[in-house]
Amino acid sequence: NQKFDVVVVGGGSAGISVTASLLKRDSDLRIAIIEPSNFHFYQPAWTLVGSGDYPIEKTRRPMADVIPSNATWIKAAVSKLHPDRNAVQLSDDSTVFYGQLIVCPGLRLAWEKIEGLQDTLGQNGVTSNYKFELAPYTRELIEKVRSGTALFTQPPMPIKCAGAPQKAMYLSCDYWLRNKVLKSINVEFHNAGAVLFGVKEFVGPLMEYVKKYNAKLNFSSTLVKVHGPSKTAWFDVKAEDGSVMRVERKFSMIHVVPPQVPHDFVKESPLADAAGWCLVDNATLQSPAFPNVFSLGDIASTPNAKTAAAVRKQVVVVAKNLLALRNHKQLLSKYDGYGSCPLTVQKGKIILAEFGYGGKLLPTFPLDPTKPRKSAWALKASFLPRFYWAGMLKGKEWITKCSEV
Ligand code: FAD
């Protein structure tokens, strides 16, 4: 059995960045990252991989290359959390003890919740930008489809990068428009939710693109079943009176965004809220029941947009508060709910949606945030990836500024 000052569960955007940030502040800390994957992924670029605007190889690096050299990598999956005895259990049944714990294993993509989906992903016109192996297939399909129906789906909230389902649609439509085939393709967006985007200021500008591409919006329409060989999808459509009708649609291609759930080991632990997410204070990111536990990233209960952009701000809050606690000081760092969703409305142009708790607009630049801009595309396609690998994952303070009281 091993013991560390700090144990970090998950080596994704949050786990690597927060470890690097902590070690920059206190290089004597003994930190272990528990992470089963051989690779670390830069998921925000998968939307651009799907449209053929970014090479897939650049979105993946060996995990060994991103784990800070002065941290210990325990290559295993966590199977149980025991915050009552400051321990985590691994899949091989060994136990690791900690002084402080950071829970950041992301969320789980629940592909199995859509009947038949796993049998046909990556073939028969069924794709998803939510998986490294599949994002290039989206581009392949966009090039192949010349007629018929193209379906794009969005599952119930919360999901990571809530704009990603419609981003896939806009970039596909833009390609078809430029190649003069859009008028032969029936484009449908099926959203389990009731609105196009959660922050009202962005809905109008997005609707302009929906009209431009002649996409048909279907709200309260949840994908429940796919049959690849017959290219058929089924949706449960909820009416205002609460009744549900099953609707069948044939497709040439379907871009699926899977339902997204907390991992069982978090859901079944004493750290979980009623929905299974890791319960923390919205501002300090500390567990109310177990003060030596913090959480950030997609698994955290905080009601922000689940994005790497949110992680960027949360990292400093957790690093500073965790160290304050170690030094018996007050927790002064506060997270304001910042998240960002670069909405790729056409090739070369992005509406850079940045907002905090309650949908409060938090633009980084002094420009109208609802306008599509070329500069925002350049930011996403070339600046942000470099900024991620060389700055955020290295725990560079200037990149992860936070608001403080
Ligand atoms: P992740 O980065 O997913 O990492 C979780 C890690 O935990 C993984 O390495 C995993 O292997 C590990 N893990 C899982 N289970 C266990 C276990 N049992 N034990 C130990 N470790 C475990 N964000 C933006 O900011 N902008 C965007 O434009 C954007 N677009 C996106 C587009 C797509 C298609 C997708 C899929 C995501 C997008 N995101 C975007 C969201 C962003 O990638 C996530 O919000 C971010 O990666 C969350 O970081 P995380 O560390 O919480 O989770």
Side-chain angles (χ1 to χ4, degrees):
N1 289 343
Q2 310 178 70
K3 175 155 189 209
F4 294 87
D5 297 328
V6 181
V7 163
V8 178
V9 180
S13 302
I16 299 295
S17 310
V18 79
T19 303
S21 181
L22 279 167
L23 288 168
K24 271 222 165 336
R25 291 159 209 279
D26 182 353
S27 57
D28 292 335
L29 280 176
R30 291 183 61 252
I31 308 185
I33 300 178
I34 305 175
E35 166 60 64
S37 173
N38 284 322
F39 292 100
H40 179 100
F41 299 96
Y42 181 60
Q43 303 165 41
W46 291 348
T47 297
L48 297 184
V49 172
S51 64
D53 293 303
Y54 201 84
I56 186 72
E57 319 84 61
K58 285 178 81 174
T59 69
R60 180 173 86 163
R61 289 196 186 171
M63 190 61 75
D65 292 0
V66 299
I67 301 244
S69 55
N70 43 352
T72 301
W73 177 16
I74 299 176
K75 194 173 180 309
V78 170
S79 57
K80 275 203 176 101
L81 298 167
H82 300 290
D84 41 345
R85 51 190 183 94
N86 296 333
V88 298
Q89 193 175 317
L90 309 187
S91 38
D92 64 3
D93 271 346
S94 63
T95 302
V96 179
F97 293 91
Y98 58 79
Q100 288 168 300
L101 178 71
I102 303 178
V103 182
C104 49
L107 49 68
R108 189 175 75 77
L109 300 173
W111 304 98
E112 78 287 353
K113 284 185 182 266
I114 296 168
E115 195 185 330
L117 179 61
Q118 281 169 307
D119 301 332
T120 189
L121 270 176
Q123 49 183 328
N124 301 312
V126 184
T127 191
S128 178
N129 287 345
Y130 273 68
K131 205 170 158 72
F132 176 83
E133 291 78 8
L134 293 174
Y137 185 50
T138 304
R139 167 65 182 192
E140 213 181 299
L141 290 175
I142 297 172
E143 282 175 7
K144 266 194 210 144
V145 169
R146 286 282 172 274
S147 61
T149 292
L151 302 175
F152 295 84
T153 76
Q154 178 169 324
M157 288 292 170
I159 62 169
K160 52 180 159 184
C161 198
Q166 57 190 294
K167 293 193 230 177
M169 175 175 74
Y170 299 136
L171 290 177
S172 305
C173 288
D174 180 66
Y175 178 88
W176 293 324
L177 186 65
R178 282 184 288 112
N179 286 274
K180 303 189 172 42
V181 292
L182 181 62
K183 56 184 175 320
S184 317
I185 302 171
N186 170 44
V187 178
E188 295 181 13
F189 188 61
H190 289 263
N191 182 350
V195 289
L196 185 58
F197 196 72
V199 182
K200 64 176 188 324
E201 283 83 352
F202 298 103
V203 173
L206 291 172
M207 280 306 294
E208 296 290 312
Y209 280 90
V210 168
K211 277 185 217 139
K212 175 178 169 185
Y213 299 135
N214 195 23
K216 281 132 207 118
L217 299 184
N218 299 270
F219 294 109
S220 306
S221 180
T222 309
L223 178 68
V224 288
K225 184 176 168 186
V226 180
H227 184 251
S230 65
K231 297 200 162 178
T232 314
W234 289 267
F235 295 87
D236 275 354
V237 182
K238 205 169 173 187
E240 270 178 22
D241 64 4
S243 61
V244 175
M245 195 170 67
R246 178 115 347 152
V247 172
E248 183 183 298
R249 309 293 295 131
K250 295 277 182 198
F251 58 81
S252 298
M253 73 166 277
I254 181 168
H255 178 270
V256 179
V257 176
Q260 302 180 23
V261 297
H263 296 279
D264 286 346
F265 75 91
V266 175
K267 192 175 180 171
E268 288 156 9
S269 81
L271 293 172
D273 70 4
W277 305 99
C278 189
L279 181 65
V280 286
D281 180 85
N282 286 348
T284 62
L285 305 179
Q286 182 188 36
S287 161
F290 300 93
N292 62 337
V293 178
F294 292 83
S295 179
L296 73 163
D298 294 345
I299 193 64
S301 64
T302 49
N304 56 279
K306 292 188 185 299
T307 56
V311 169
R312 177 167 69 87
K313 298 282 184 172
Q314 295 169 342
V315 161
V316 179
V317 177
V318 170
K320 286 190 171 173
N321 285 343
L322 184 146
L323 290 175
L325 193 70
R326 286 183 76 79
N327 296 318
H328 311 287
K329 292 196 176 130
Q330 253 186 303
L331 275 54
L332 293 181
S333 266
K334 305 225 156 128
Y335 172 56
D336 60 4
Y338 175 89
S340 160
C341 195
L343 294 153
T344 49
V345 285
Q346 68 177 78
K347 186 181 169 79
K349 277 197 177 175
I350 278 178
I351 296 175
L352 187 59
E354 295 174 285
F355 47 89
Y357 286 141
K360 183 176 177 224
L361 299 188
L362 297 173
T364 303
F365 306 101
L367 301 166
D368 177 355
T370 64
K371 283 232 154 55
R373 289 180 199 279
K374 283 185 188 159
S375 55
W377 180 277
L379 183 80
K380 175 160 180 76
S382 57
F383 181 68
L384 284 178
R386 275 182 272 161
F387 177 97
Y388 180 82
W389 296 110
M392 187 167 145
L393 293 191
K394 304 284 182 201
K396 299 253 169 88
E397 173 79 39
W398 61 271
I399 266 160
T400 46
K401 284 206 189 92
C402 70
S403 51
E404 271 184 351
V405 285

